[in-house]
Amino acid sequence: MDNRLYIFDTTLRDGEQVPGCQLNTVEKIEVAKALEELGVDVIEAGFPVSSPGDFNSVVEISKAVTWPTICALTRAVENDIKVAAEALQYAKRKRIHTGIGTSDSHIKYKFNSNREEIIERAVAAVSYAKRFVEDVQFYAEDAGRTDNEYLARVVEAVIKAGATVVNIPDTTGYCLPEEFGAKIKYLVENVKGIDKITIATHCHNDLGMATANTISGVINGARQAEVTINGIGERAGNTSLEEVVMALKSHHELGVNTNINTRHIYPTSRLVSNLMNMPVQPNKAIVGRNAFAHSSGIHQDGVLKNRESYEIIDPKDVGIDENSIVLTARSGRAALKHRLHVLGIDLDKEHLDKTYEAFLKFADRKKEINDDDILMLAGRHHASSRRIKLDFLQVTSGIGVHSVASIGLDIAGEKFEACASGNGPVDAALSAIKNIIRRQMIVKEFLIQAINRGSNDVGKVHMTVEHEGMEYHGFSANTDIVGASAEAFIDAINKFAK
Ligand code: KIV
Ligand code: ZN
């Protein structure tokens, strides 16, 4: 059996479905290019029929990317497939990913159908997709809970219809590693023609088993792993790319390789986390802030004597260059440019100048500037192009007194000011904003997180605001957390107050 595992990245499709993680087309192209540099084999760029934005992103990513195959998702519906083929017209290598639910629960409740009819619909979808592209991937949704014998019949039928890749998703993250591996083995041993196609795993992490299930699938014959950067994805997420790649790299005895340039893992992780406003949990394997931090004296001593005492991966292998992570007020523009480049961001001169200006101001307030700070600063120019901007904010608050805020907003160049009181500084600041933007707005979710440590740290604020029955997500980061809260509120407002 081929010892090469194909990496199929679905950060821009399954990952991007997470509420609050939506990217615009320019940002998606940036991620797609980073994925190309990382060395992924397939980029799932979107679900074109779902929205004009998704359609356009697939078109633009197809134009921007050269080597990876560009894949577009569809249901087993003719119009979905036709639209996906249209969106893929500029891709140098293209694939349509079509499929249908195969578990009894999906057949009965989702499709009000029966097993035979589902096979017919699966075959019809693959045959129709073959009219447009040679490379057709079929997914058997909820394969994790599909009876193996029936699954084998579905897989055999779609292979006969021309599927080149068959995806076995554990859609609900239900399987145990042994069970998932046995499922792949059963297909390898019982499906006619399976040696001519590639079997793919697509595991979700609801029980924290996504990586284990994927590796178990690979051990049993799967040769494509569907993954996302940082494991982002609906609910508990998808299998994370970095975990699968580094698990295979660390376990040579499995004899399976990928094309991933592992030194790009960390910069890509930071880029995705920053663009999607999705913090990486500190203890996340491979890319978390603490993944290579040894705090106990015994561990520090052991690592200093010999790194391998407590580390199975050299941080440099995943692109973490410990010596150059911190910048200070004395760092020059070239150092900032270099660090941004390492983090996967190449700014033009104008944006670099603006970012450097912001960097110097920030460095006056915070002695050591780390990667998260830099990414936050580089994102600043997005905020400056918004219609509604925060001009100033002054808040008086304390224990036993009423908080009062006065605020200035710049709305398309016009200045507005208002005051308000509240039961705390954030409440006062948001009420003052509401006194200017007189619309119905409810804060549904409000999350403040420190990026690093220390009382001089930057606070990241995520806010979900409901307006006319729709939810909008706002984000900001600032050493002043009341300011960050006001900016996050304004960021969300900008998304509906056009
Ligand atoms: O989880 C899943 O089943 C999916 C399919 C659409 C591939 O994302
Ligand atoms: Zn999925």
Side-chain angles (χ1 to χ4, degrees), residues 426-443:
V426 173
D427 187 40
L430 268 52
S431 298
I433 294 171
K434 285 178 181 169
N435 284 342
I436 300 175
I437 314 265
R438 294 190 168 274
R439 298 205 188 197
Q440 177 260 347
M441 299 179 282
I442 304 165
V443 175

Side-chain angles (χ1 to χ4, degrees), residues 13-14 202 204 238:
R13 199 278 298 170
D14 226 352
H202 177 111
H204 280 265
N238 288 55

Side-chain angles (χ1 to χ4, degrees), residues 4-5 7 35 37-41 241-242 245-246 249 257-265:
R4 166 92 138 80
L5 177 71
I7 297 295
L35 292 172
E37 271 205 54
L38 181 63
V40 307
D41 299 285
L241 178 147
E242 59 276 10
V245 168
M246 293 315 289
K249 192 166 176 181
N257 308 311
T258 69
N259 186 46
I260 296 298
N261 178 351
T262 61
R263 286 178 180 254
H264 283 266
I265 284 179

Side-chain angles (χ1 to χ4, degrees), residues 25-322:
T25 301
V26 174
E27 291 166 332
K28 284 187 191 174
I29 291 170
E30 198 173 341
V31 172
K33 285 186 154 174
L35 292 172
E36 181 171 33
E37 271 205 54
L38 181 63
V40 307
D41 299 285
V42 186
I43 296 174
E44 189 162 49
F47 181 11
V49 86
S50 67
S51 71
D54 245 42
F55 180 92
N56 193 37
S57 297
V58 175
V59 171
E60 296 305 325
I61 290 170
S62 298
K63 289 181 191 163
V65 162
T66 309
W67 298 112
T69 295
I70 305 300
C71 182
L73 185 79
T74 81
R75 294 166 296 182
V77 170
E78 284 200 354
N79 188 50
D80 284 28
I81 295 168
K82 197 158 74 103
V83 171
E86 218 178 294
L88 287 169
Q89 62 187 299
Y90 299 106
K92 288 98 196 158
R93 297 178 175 82
K94 53 185 90 173
R95 179 182 296 175
I96 290 178
H97 188 190
T98 189
I100 196 162
T102 54
S103 65
D104 286 337
S105 140
H106 275 226
I107 293 173
K108 186 167 172 199
Y109 299 110
K110 195 168 160 185
F111 301 109
N112 187 24
S113 183
N114 59 60
R115 287 183 166 191
E116 297 316 310
E117 203 178 274
I118 290 295
I119 293 184
E120 278 170 29
R121 286 170 71 171
V123 166
V126 171
S127 309
Y128 188 66
K130 284 297 260 196
R131 292 199 205 169
F132 301 98
V133 294
E134 174 46 37
D135 194 3
V136 174
Q137 172 169 331
F138 175 80
Y139 64 87
E141 194 178 9
D142 205 16
R145 294 187 300 170
T146 301
D147 154 52
N148 286 350
E149 231 174 275
Y150 175 64
L151 184 61
R153 285 182 52 213
V154 177
V155 172
E156 194 163 308
V158 296
I159 292 174
K160 254 199 207 149
T164 46
V165 181
V166 176
N167 178 13
I168 308 300
D170 183 19
T171 305
T172 57
Y174 171 76
C175 288
L176 298 173
E178 219 173 78
E179 184 186 7
F180 191 73
K183 191 174 279 291
I184 301 296
K185 189 165 191 270
Y186 184 87
L187 297 175
V188 170
E189 289 174 352
N190 292 283
V191 172
K192 230 190 277 162
I194 200 132
D195 51 322
K196 306 275 184 306
I197 60 112
T198 304
I199 306 175
T201 63
H202 177 111
C203 298
H204 280 265
N205 203 31
D206 299 67
L207 293 174
M209 306 275 184
T211 299
N213 285 348
T214 300
I215 298 292
S216 180
V218 172
I219 290 171
N220 285 283
R223 282 296 175 267
Q224 176 176 289
E226 306 205 357
V227 292
T228 60
I229 300 293
N230 302 334
I232 63 160
E234 286 203 270
R235 311 184 307 278
N238 288 55
T239 309
S240 72
L241 178 147
E242 59 276 10
E243 292 175 14
V244 170
V245 168
M246 293 315 289
L248 293 175
K249 192 166 176 181
S250 305
H251 285 269
H252 302 283
E253 73 280 9
L254 296 178
V256 179
N257 308 311
T258 69
N259 186 46
I260 296 298
N261 178 351
T262 61
R263 286 178 180 254
H264 283 266
I265 284 179
Y266 183 67
T268 313
S269 160
R270 300 309 318 151
L271 177 73
V272 168
S273 165
N274 186 51
L275 287 177
M276 290 193 164
N277 296 326
M278 183 79 166
V280 175
Q281 76 192 60
N283 59 333
K284 167 80 182 63
I286 318 294
V287 292
R289 184 173 77 221
N290 295 346
F292 299 100
H294 302 276
S295 51
S296 88
I298 294 174
H299 282 206
Q300 283 178 349
D301 183 51
V303 169
L304 286 174
K305 285 179 178 146
N306 178 1
R307 188 186 59 74
E308 286 173 20
S309 308
Y310 288 100
E311 270 183 11
I312 56 167
I313 295 169
D314 183 341
K316 288 196 185 74
D317 280 352
V318 294
I320 298 178
D321 180 356
E322 292 146 303

